[in-house]
Amino acid sequence: MKYYLSVLAGAMSYGILSTIVVLAYGEGYKLGEVVGTQLITGFILSWMLALYSKFRMKRKSQADGKPSAAVAKALQKLTWKQRLLLMAAGTPTVITGLVYYQSLRYIPASLAIILLFQFTWISVLIQAVSKRQRPDKVTFLTLIILFGGTLLAAGFLEQGLGEFNGLGIALGLMAAVSYSLFVMFSGKAVPSAHPAFRSAWMVTGGLILLCILFPPTFLFNGLIWSQLLVFGLLLGFFGAFIPPVLFAVGVPHIGGDMAGILGAVELPIAVLLSSIVLHEHVSPLQWIGVIVVLIGVALPEIYKLRMRRSRNTPIYS
């Protein structure tokens, strides 16, 4: 049960971010300052975890007299080519954060998170185009459910598209595309490396890109010691540190399929907080749409689990 709770808590942490960003905007902070403090916090915490993991593994190998094959592999130094690959794989998450957080300036947080969740069908589309394979019937059904749930959850059926900011919607969908690319590339980049070091190098790559796009002037003009530091610590802790750690603990034990289902809890948490903390109006019809989207996200994974169990069930004559 603790592994399920670990993945659930990690997904819930992601759901908190949009509310914190909107509160930071309310205090007058800019996009580069918000994302910059988040990544710097995540950078520090990620490398602290990586160094602690290395120290712990070395200590364990010394106590055992001879390191196990898994420990020896984890302690093996990454080449610079591998490090550069991991840093490159970490850049899409920065683009995702930038366009997603920017969309929060134009559209409600409850709508922004729903648009971000369109990465589910966008990932399917990218995979279908890259592999030149037509999606199966379950995938088509999932896409229909997701599309219908999105129309309900976003409030498009109640208010019409004209009531929403076009730039904000475009940015939200761009964030979904960027996140889809991140999911695709991050899993393929040096999968043999220890999760703590993979995460640290990916955050490093993201931070370098961000510093090029938005020079961190807040580190030198004293702004870092204002309330911005509080927002940065919260965003870095709940966004760049806690989820990767909890996922690394739980996912290997419950599997990627179940992790995908539990990870969808990010959506209702973000919508709920935007309603309670930011006082955004979320109608009953929109909540129904959120539930429909969750069903659409979970449907392929539930189908895979049922198929796997049916294959493993012995047939007696």
Side-chain angles (χ1 to χ4, degrees):
M1 178 59 71
K2 65 179 181 180
Y3 299 117
Y4 288 89
L5 293 176
S6 176
V7 174
L8 199 64
M12 291 172 68
S13 296
Y14 276 134
I16 298 173
L17 301 182
S18 58
T19 298
I20 299 174
V21 171
V22 173
L23 293 175
Y25 284 158
E27 295 297 323
Y29 298 114
K30 299 177 181 178
L31 175 64
E33 296 164 350
V34 173
V35 182
T37 50
Q38 175 184 354
L39 276 183
I40 288 174
T41 302
F43 173 83
I44 294 171
L45 292 175
S46 295
W47 276 108
M48 286 176 62
L49 177 64
L51 294 174
Y52 172 74
S53 299
K54 185 176 182 179
F55 168 77
R56 189 176 178 182
M57 285 186 290
K58 280 187 175 180
R59 190 172 180 181
K60 186 177 185 303
S61 64
Q62 290 173 355
D64 295 341
K66 183 180 180 180
S68 64
V71 171
K73 186 177 181 180
L75 288 173
Q76 187 177 0
K77 285 187 177 181
L78 298 174
T79 65
W80 271 108
K81 181 180 179 180
Q82 291 174 318
R83 294 170 185 172
L84 290 172
L85 281 173
L86 288 171
M87 286 192 284
T91 54
T93 189
V94 175
I95 302 299
T96 301
L98 288 173
V99 292
Y100 177 55
Y101 290 172
Q102 185 68 2
S103 73
L104 293 170
R105 288 190 174 276
Y106 304 100
I107 56 177
S110 55
L111 174 57
I113 185 64
I114 290 166
L115 293 175
L116 178 63
F117 252 71
Q118 303 311 299
F119 81 87
T120 51
W121 66 263
I122 291 174
S123 297
V124 172
L125 182 61
I126 293 175
Q127 291 280 2
V129 172
S130 61
K131 295 182 179 180
R132 297 181 180 179
Q133 292 179 348
R134 185 178 179 180
D136 55 29
K137 293 180 181 179
V138 176
T139 302
F140 271 121
L141 177 60
T142 300
L143 296 180
I144 293 172
I145 293 174
L146 286 172
F147 183 73
T150 300
L151 291 178
L152 290 172
F156 292 148
L157 296 181
E158 292 178 291
Q159 304 174 45
L161 283 171
E163 296 296 321
F164 297 98
N165 185 285
L167 178 58
I169 292 175
L171 289 169
L173 291 175
M174 285 174 60
V177 173
S178 178
Y179 189 68
S180 300
L181 296 174
F182 170 69
V183 171
M184 287 180 59
F185 295 139
S186 62
K188 297 178 181 178
V190 198
S192 59
H194 189 278
F197 290 99
R198 288 184 80 253
S199 176
W201 281 109
M202 288 170 73
V203 172
T204 301
L207 182 60
I208 292 173
L209 175 62
L210 184 69
C211 289
I212 295 172
L213 297 175
F214 294 92
T217 55
F218 56 86
L219 291 175
F220 311 105
N221 60 14
L223 193 61
I224 186 64
W225 303 115
S226 65
Q227 199 173 357
L228 177 64
L229 180 61
V230 177
F231 290 121
L233 289 173
L234 290 173
L235 289 170
F237 186 73
F238 286 110
F241 180 67
I242 284 293
V245 171
L246 293 179
F247 287 161
V249 171
V251 173
H253 294 275
I254 69 173
D257 294 343
M258 184 56 67
I261 296 173
L262 295 177
V265 76
E266 174 189 349
L267 176 58
I269 291 297
V271 175
L272 183 64
L273 286 178
S274 67
S275 176
I276 295 175
V277 179
L278 304 177
H279 306 293
E280 294 180 359
H281 174 69
V282 182
S283 69
L285 194 61
Q286 286 177 282
W287 276 114
I288 293 174
V290 169
I291 295 171
V292 172
V293 170
L294 292 176
I295 292 172
V297 171
L299 182 61
E301 308 304 335
I302 294 173
Y303 178 76
K304 290 177 186 176
L305 289 172
R306 288 189 64 182
M307 291 295 293
R308 191 174 298 133
R309 287 176 181 174
S310 64
R311 292 194 193 102
N312 294 332
T313 303
I315 300 175
Y316 299 97
S317 55

